[in-house]
Amino acid sequence: MNTVIDPLEPAASVPNAGAGAGTWSREAVLDVLDLPFADLLYRAQTVHRQHFDANAVQLSQLLSIKTGGCAEDCGYCPQAARYHAGVEATPLMPLAEVVAAASAARDAGATRFCMGAAWRSPKDRDIDQVTEMVRAVADLGLETCVTLGMLREGQAERLRDAGLDFYNHNLDTAPEFYGEVITTRDYQDRLDTLERVRAAGLHVCCGGILGMGESRAQRAGLLAQLAALDPQPESVPINNLVRVEGTPLADAEPLDPLEFVRTVAAARIVMPRSRVRLSAGREQMSDEMQTLCLLAGANSVFYGEQLLTTPNPRAQRDRDLFARLGLHIDAGH
Ligand code: SAM
Ligand code: DTB
Ligand code: SF4
């Protein structure tokens, strides 16, 4: 069962992570985060090369299929209705528009298409429509991912039966910091949905956001929690907070870029077989910072000029960077 890890619990009582990854207490993750930078990157690169082609990057493209008007109060999110962040709320996108966006993504080189909806949790009739989208996107030969909020019993199975490959549901931060950012649901709600997704046989995409005012120990807490998911998530998106005017976190102190890189490296070390995705916040990063993240073990990015509601680097900028680094595109997970 997915549970909240007590920071004071000894490592031995943390459930064994899947895929032979071992057991990581929060203290052990913090020790990794505290390493001298060169030692940390050396360890991360060593682990990365044991499990992946270090010269390959995987590309996922996002599409917001239902934008804004969300009832939740996530302090980072421009789609929460209560924050008036200038996001226009739209109903669920028609199937034909989704298919057009997915084929354009495929033509531009993406291999996975991730559809996001600003829901607390989908209704069964929403699932009816999303399953149609999943079928159509899978028919284009793309891997499929959706992020729809909390799922009820039976909904993950319906998505799986439509051909869904991945479900994204982030733990976002350490358990004890969660309540500072979100009050309309709790950590156990997230863990429960992750368990339903896994039980349905779907691949899990689960990560977090850095730069929300959390401490390094709390970043260790998030990573320990992710690494304890059994089996570990196949995809781990690491987002750098996009500070959006109108949201409670608009004025959060930006995280030291090297601290972000450290956290990516630690994610690679504690989840050796997972795709670590350099996610939101790339538009604000220099090419050099992104390169350090890729050297630290990140091997996936969100691709295309839009995340859900905020900008992402243009595809050409990414292609230029990959060419400068001699990186090739990796299909599959
Ligand atoms: N509503 C669903 C949910 O919250 O699970 C799915 C969509 S939600 C927008 C998906 C994820 O986007 C969140 O879990 C969070 O990690 C990320 N996110 C949202 N706003 C962000 C921001 N301003 N900066 C970085 N990541 C953000
Ligand atoms: C994830 O971890 N990051 C993506 C995806 N999963 C759904 C979303 C990032 C959203 C950034 C803010 C926005 O564009 O609205
Ligand atoms: Fe809603 Fe998801 Fe944004 Fe939270 S992160 S406000 S649940 S869309």
Side-chain angles (χ1 to χ4, degrees), residues 62 76-79 114 116 147 168 170 172 205 207-209 237-239 242 244 277 279-281 302 306-311:
L62 278 169
Y76 46 78
C77 188
Q79 303 201 68
C114 177
T147 181
N168 165 251
N170 291 338
D172 279 330
C205 173
I209 308 179
I238 307 288
N239 297 278
V242 180
V244 182
R277 181 168 310 112
S279 301
F302 281 122
Q306 175 97 343
L307 290 164
L308 291 173
T309 66
T310 64

Side-chain angles (χ1 to χ4, degrees), residues 70-74 76-81 117-120 149 172 182 185 190:
C70 184
E72 300 273 69
D73 73 348
C74 312
Y76 46 78
C77 188
Q79 303 201 68
W119 285 318
R120 171 179 163 83
D172 279 330
I182 301 158
R185 56 170 188 264
R190 299 304 269 186

Side-chain angles (χ1 to χ4, degrees), residues 162-175:
L164 185 69
D165 298 307
F166 289 81
Y167 195 86
N168 165 251
H169 200 65
N170 291 338
L171 287 176
D172 279 330
T173 193

